[in-house]
Amino acid sequence: MSAPARTADGVPVPILMYHSVAREPSARTRGLSVSPGRFAEQMELLAEHRCTPLTTAGLAAIWRGGGALPDRPVLITFDDGYEGVHRHALPVLARHGFAATLFVSTGWLRGAHDTGGGLDTMLDWDQVRALAGQGMEIGGHSHTHPQLDQLHDEELEFELRQCREIVAGELGAAPVSFAYPYGHSDRRVRRAVRAAGFAQSLAVGNGLARRRQGPYALRRVTVRRSTGTAEFERLIEGRAIGRTFAADRALTQGYAVVRRARQARRKAARIRV
Ligand SMILES: [Zn+2]
C-alpha cells in the first residue's frame, strides 16, 4: 500500500539549520533568526509535504544500521540555545509532534555556567530540561562558541569536554550529537569531536546531507529571516541549493578573511610581546 521502502543509501536528507526564533531579535542574530509566525508557517509546510522530522541521533542510527529512512525525512535543528526555541518553537513542534535537535553552547546559556557570550536572550537550564522532556534531542555546540580550528589542542579538548560534562550534569545524559560553531571543522577538529565521545556532528555547507558524507561532516541548509515560502519549499525538496550556495560561499569566504585577519593580529601580538 505504501511506497516501496527506500534504502538508506542515496536518499539525501535536508537538515534545516535555525538559530533564534524571535519577534525582535538582537542586531547580531537578526539575519539568521526567523519570526515566530514564519517558523509556524514553515512547520505547517513540512506537515503539508508529509515530511518526517527525525532527531540527529535518529538519522545517524538509521544510516549506521543501514535501515530504511521514513518517507521524506528532514531534520529540524537549532544552534546556540536562544530562548525563543522554548518560547516560540516548542509549542509549534509539540502541536505537530515533530522531532528536533537543539545544539547548545553551554557557556552561553543563562545560569550557573554562563560566560556571558550569548548574542541574545538565551535559554536557562530549566527551559533546556523542558525541551528535552518534550523529546527534543540536546546536542553540543562547544562551551564558548569559538572557531574550533583556531584553537590549540588543549583549548579544543576543553571546549568539547566542558560542553559534554555540563550537558550531562544538567540533563543526566551526555549529548551524542555535535554541531560545529560557524559550521566549520577540519580533520583535527573532527577527530577531537569523535574522541570526546560525540557519535556524529553537523557542518553547514548548504547542501543536503547524505550518508556518504560520513557521520562527522553532515551538511545542513541555512534558514534565514529572508527565507520566503517558495525558497523554503525548494529547500525541503532539495532544489534551492544552487541559489543559496553562492551567498553562503561568500559568507564562508568572509569567515576565512576574518580568520586570516585574526591570525595576522595574533602573529603581530606575538612579535610585539
Ligand atoms: Zn552557533
Side-chain angles (χ1 to χ4, degrees), residues 34-217:
V34 297
S35 72
R38 184 57 70 77
F39 181 76
E41 270 172 40
Q42 292 171 346
M43 295 304 103
E44 195 60 49
L45 286 170
L46 292 183
E48 281 171 15
H49 282 71
R50 302 194 175 283
C51 294
T52 310
L54 300 168
T55 61
T56 304
L59 173 67
I62 291 171
W63 272 344
R64 211 164 265 130
L69 288 165
D71 275 344
R72 293 177 176 268
V74 63
L75 266 59
I76 303 161
T77 71
F78 302 91
D79 280 13
D80 303 347
Y82 297 100
E83 199 199 21
V85 176
H86 180 267
R87 185 186 299 270
H88 301 299
L90 177 61
V92 177
L93 293 167
R95 196 164 66 233
H96 289 289
F98 282 173
T101 311
L102 168 72
F103 293 100
V104 294
S105 288
T106 45
W108 279 15
L109 300 192
R110 285 184 290 136
H113 318 285
D114 194 349
T115 58
L119 302 179
D120 204 341
T121 307
M122 308 306 290
L123 293 160
D124 65 27
W125 286 98
D126 282 340
Q127 292 169 325
V128 176
R129 275 186 285 275
L131 291 166
Q134 294 288 317
M136 193 178 282
E137 180 185 356
I138 310 300
H141 193 50
S142 82
H143 186 51
T144 66
H145 205 282
Q147 302 199 39
L148 296 177
D149 64 322
Q150 300 292 299
L151 303 181
H152 298 296
D153 287 347
E154 319 82 72
E155 297 170 320
L156 172 59
E157 202 214 321
F158 171 82
E159 284 288 334
L160 301 173
R161 193 184 56 229
Q162 188 78 349
C163 172
R164 216 172 131 75
E165 284 177 2
I166 289 174
V167 173
E170 292 286 351
L171 302 185
V176 296
S177 303
F178 190 81
Y180 305 111
Y182 308 102
H184 191 79
S185 73
D186 58 18
R187 188 174 293 177
R188 183 181 65 108
V189 168
R190 292 193 286 274
R191 263 195 212 132
V193 166
R194 181 181 195 155
F198 293 100
Q200 52 273 330
S201 190
L202 305 183
V204 183
N206 270 299
L208 300 180
R210 290 175 184 273
R211 189 184 190 191
R212 63 168 178 260
Q213 288 160 6
Y216 292 93

Side-chain angles (χ1 to χ4, degrees), residues 19-22 25-26 29-35 223-226:
H19 285 77
S20 82
V21 181
S26 68
T29 61
R30 185 170 179 83
L32 288 177
S33 68
V34 297
S35 72
V223 186
R224 299 180 169 72
R225 207 158 187 93
S226 60

Side-chain angles (χ1 to χ4, degrees), residues 250-265:
L251 192 70
T252 308
Q253 282 165 350
Y255 279 137
V257 170
V258 170
R259 278 205 300 276
R260 277 199 297 276
R262 266 190 207 166
Q263 278 166 344
R265 274 202 301 277

